[in-house]
């Protein structure tokens, strides 16, 4: 991703803990989006559009989660804990070793992460976002077609 680009595909929170029905934080209907996300990733790769993965990842003790998710860590299980199957991308999606993966601890991919720097470094002027759940209230900047 050394050359200047005009757009990027952001793939956000497409992880087992958000998509598998057995998860306590499963987003209803999220699995239905997986084929479209797979197509978008393939299209981006084939057309030289950088794919940036924005994923939840938490410490196993839950010391870095927001208050609304603390309860998921009270029994020691947690949600999207680093290195666990729940934090992994859902089957069918895989980050290429050359693609950037951003780990976040909040709803927003921009809060306390390097996402803004990565997009500016890549000279991205338009960020395209695809996520399995709605971020309208949490981060309106991630809506499709937002101009940076």
């Amino acid at each position: 991703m050394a050359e200047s680009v005009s757009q990027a595909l952001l793939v956000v929170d497409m992880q087992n803990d958000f998509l598998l029905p057995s998860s306590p934080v499963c987003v209803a209907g999220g699995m239905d989006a997986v084929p479209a996300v797979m197509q978008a990733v393939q299209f981006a790769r084939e057309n030289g559009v950088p794919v940036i993965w924005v994923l939840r990842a938490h410490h196993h003790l839950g010391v870095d989660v927001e208050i609304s998710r603390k309860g998921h860590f009270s029994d020691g299980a947690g949600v999207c804990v680093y290195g666990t199957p729940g934090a992994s991308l859902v089957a069918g999606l895989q980050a290429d070793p050359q693609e950037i993966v951003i780990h976040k601890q909040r709803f927003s991919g921009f809060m306390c992460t390097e996402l803004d720097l990565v997009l500016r470094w890549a000279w991205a002027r338009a960020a395209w976002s695809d996520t399995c759940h709605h971020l309208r209230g949490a981060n309106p900047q991630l809506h499709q077609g937002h101009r940076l």
Side-chain angles (χ1 to χ4, degrees):
M1 201 153 74
E3 62 196 52
S4 176
V5 296
S6 63
Q7 56 188 352
L9 173 69
L10 303 182
V11 182
V12 183
D13 292 348
M14 298 300 289
Q15 296 160 270
N16 289 325
D17 274 348
F18 294 125
L19 299 173
L20 298 182
S22 59
S23 172
V25 293
C26 177
V27 176
M31 284 298 288
D32 296 338
V34 173
V37 174
M38 290 171 61
Q39 286 181 323
V41 169
Q42 180 179 350
F43 179 85
R45 288 173 176 161
E46 290 172 354
N47 290 280
V49 175
V51 179
I52 300 171
W53 303 84
V54 183
L55 307 175
R56 275 276 185 158
H58 294 293
H59 187 276
H60 72 279
L61 295 176
V63 296
D64 55 357
V65 301
E66 58 271 85
I67 292 173
S68 64
R69 299 208 184 219
K70 285 268 186 210
H72 296 295
F73 287 81
S74 61
D75 64 358
V79 172
C80 292
V81 173
Y82 281 104
T84 66
S88 298
L89 288 165
V90 71
L93 291 175
Q94 183 174 347
D96 183 277
Q98 301 302 312
E99 294 168 341
I100 294 174
V101 177
I102 306 283
H103 290 105
K104 65 183 181 104
Q105 288 75 40
R106 296 290 181 264
F107 288 102
S108 172
F110 288 96
M111 185 175 184
C112 301
T113 73
E114 66 274 21
L115 181 57
D116 180 62
L117 289 173
V118 166
L119 291 174
R120 290 175 191 277
W121 172 78
W123 297 72
R125 291 183 293 277
W128 300 95
S129 170
D130 203 333
T131 181
C132 65
H133 63 281
H134 302 284
L135 294 176
R136 286 186 182 95
N139 195 348
Q141 294 97 317
L142 286 182
H143 287 289
Q144 187 171 358
H146 172 71
R147 295 277 177 215
L148 295 175

